[in-house]
Amino acid sequence: MRVIIISLIHRYLKIHRIKMSTAVANGAGNSKSVTKQKTIEGIYQKKSQLEHILLRPDTYIGSVETITEMMWVFDKEKEMMVQKDIKYVPGLYKIFDEILVNAADNKQRDPKMDMIKIDIDS
């Protein structure tokens, strides 16, 4: 939605040949103090949906930086849940979670479904 709005603003300003100043674009609001003019093309860039996702993945899936958190995990040796510091990427975790949620939704629609299997190639 944000990309569409910026695109519409860009188109309007381009049609009307309006130039935005750096000071006004940054919120100064005083047109008398404007010394450097910047075109709308210099302020905004039109990107495809794929380019936007690749440029700002955290907008869609969360952080792509590795973090460490204390989490409950199953310990095979002790055969019980234990708390451990786990390193993971929240964005990848979100993608995996989305796969499971979509599979569970599909199960609700298809009563004949009897298995959810996920293969991860690493």
Side-chain angles (χ1 to χ4, degrees), residues 67-78:
I67 64 170
T68 303
E69 274 188 13
M70 184 72 75
M71 295 184 137
W72 288 97
V73 294
F74 185 76
D75 188 330
K76 289 181 183 178
E77 293 170 5
K78 297 179 183 176

Side-chain angles (χ1 to χ4, degrees), residues 9-22:
I9 292 170
H10 171 64
R11 186 177 300 151
Y12 173 83
L13 294 173
K14 191 172 182 179
I15 289 170
H16 290 54
R17 299 183 189 275
I18 297 172
K19 291 186 177 182
M20 293 182 65
S21 71
T22 306

Side-chain angles (χ1 to χ4, degrees), residues 92-93 95-97 99-100 117-122:
L92 182 59
Y93 181 83
I95 290 170
F96 185 78
D97 178 64
I99 293 168
L100 292 177
K117 182 178 179 183
I118 300 170
D119 292 324
I120 300 176
D121 296 333
S122 58

Side-chain angles (χ1 to χ4, degrees), residues 9-94:
I9 292 170
H10 171 64
R11 186 177 300 151
Y12 173 83
L13 294 173
K14 191 172 182 179
I15 289 170
H16 290 54
R17 299 183 189 275
I18 297 172
K19 291 186 177 182
M20 293 182 65
S21 71
T22 306
V24 172
N26 291 333
N30 185 357
S31 60
K32 292 180 182 176
S33 67
V34 175
T35 56
K36 185 177 176 185
Q37 295 287 324
K38 226 178 187 185
T39 63
I40 192 67
E41 290 84 4
I43 297 170
Y44 297 104
Q45 296 176 352
K46 183 174 172 68
K47 301 202 178 306
S48 71
Q49 187 172 7
L50 178 61
E51 290 171 328
H52 192 264
I53 290 168
L54 293 174
L55 184 64
R56 294 182 179 85
D58 55 322
T59 304
Y60 299 90
I61 60 167
S63 175
V64 293
E65 301 295 323
T66 302
I67 64 170
T68 303
E69 274 188 13
M70 184 72 75
M71 295 184 137
W72 288 97
V73 294
F74 185 76
D75 188 330
K76 289 181 183 178
E77 293 170 5
K78 297 179 183 176
E79 295 185 354
M80 60 186 286
M81 297 295 287
V82 295
Q83 273 192 318
K84 284 187 176 179
D85 279 332
I86 302 294
K87 289 184 180 180
Y88 72 101
V89 178
L92 182 59
Y93 181 83
K94 174 66 177 161

